[in-house]
Amino acid sequence: VLENELRVGWQNLQSLNRLAPIFVPPWNRLTDELHGYLRSIGLEGVSQHAPRKAKIAKGGLVQVNTHVDIINWRTTRGFAGMEKVLVNVLSHLQSRRIGQVDDAEPTGVLTHHLNHDEGCWEFMDELLDWTNSKSNVRWLTPFEAFEIAVPKNELEK
């Protein structure tokens, strides 16, 4: 049943513009059995939460995860706070630099636009402004992060 829902859902989404063939499972959880199935219906990547163990996940999917969640789900269900979020960003960057995690995996920020409070929006605005002002920091498109070819219809835009 779940496999059929995933197949139908992916087929329905393919009519949207700028769609990258990446699956982000609810609550960042995905069984091993579904990895291969996702590839068989045309998905090429998967994103969960935590440093990846390997670039290629089970089933041949490219894996690029998130590492920093900006929401405190346990208490306020709002912005986790500037200090905590920045510590998490810096922690992942440092872990990449010293080889504790895959240094080729981009640092991913997990956002939940439907749950953002004012603090979340302000943080993201500040983070984008700050990173965009730096010549050595660049935001990647999903196609770049997952090293997936951009569909021909997207190249024309």
Side-chain angles (χ1 to χ4, degrees):
V1 173
L2 180 58
E3 288 87 353
N4 187 52
E5 289 178 8
L6 288 167
R7 182 184 48 75
V8 169
W10 175 238
Q11 287 172 340
N12 291 338
L13 287 171
Q14 289 184 58
S15 65
L16 300 175
N17 289 331
R18 304 196 58 78
L19 181 68
I22 299 161
F23 184 67
V24 180
W27 303 285
N28 300 298
R29 290 173 181 82
L30 181 64
T31 64
D32 289 347
E33 296 80 28
L34 285 178
H35 275 90
Y37 181 75
L38 294 172
R39 185 81 174 147
S40 76
I41 63 172
L43 291 163
E44 297 179 42
V46 63
S47 182
Q48 295 177 267
H49 189 72
R52 66 185 178 194
K53 292 180 178 39
K55 179 178 178 177
I56 305 300
K58 290 180 174 64
L61 297 168
V62 176
Q63 184 160 16
V64 179
N65 291 340
T66 61
H67 310 92
V68 180
D69 192 340
I70 68 170
I71 292 184
N72 181 338
W73 291 103
R74 294 178 195 254
T75 58
T76 65
R77 300 185 71 80
F79 182 52
M82 184 71 73
E83 183 176 345
K84 179 178 181 181
V85 173
L86 289 178
V87 163
N88 289 337
V89 169
L90 293 173
S91 175
H92 185 256
L93 291 171
Q94 180 180 35
S95 294
R96 285 177 55 196
R97 182 168 289 154
I98 63 176
Q100 289 179 331
V101 298
D102 182 348
D103 68 348
E105 182 179 31
T107 299
V109 178
L110 182 59
T111 60
H112 311 270
H113 67 281
L114 294 177
N115 297 92
H116 280 194
D117 60 13
E118 192 59 33
C120 291
W121 291 115
E122 288 174 9
F123 171 78
M124 289 308 301
D125 282 343
E126 288 182 35
L127 180 64
L128 289 168
D129 286 346
W130 185 83
T131 55
N132 287 332
S133 74
K134 305 298 176 194
S135 62
N136 62 340
V137 177
R138 186 169 78 83
W139 290 94
L140 303 176
T141 70
F143 299 102
E144 292 171 317
F146 285 83
E147 300 175 11
I148 295 171
V150 178
K152 288 181 183 177
N153 63 338
E154 289 299 313
L155 292 173
E156 298 166 358
K157 293 180 181 177

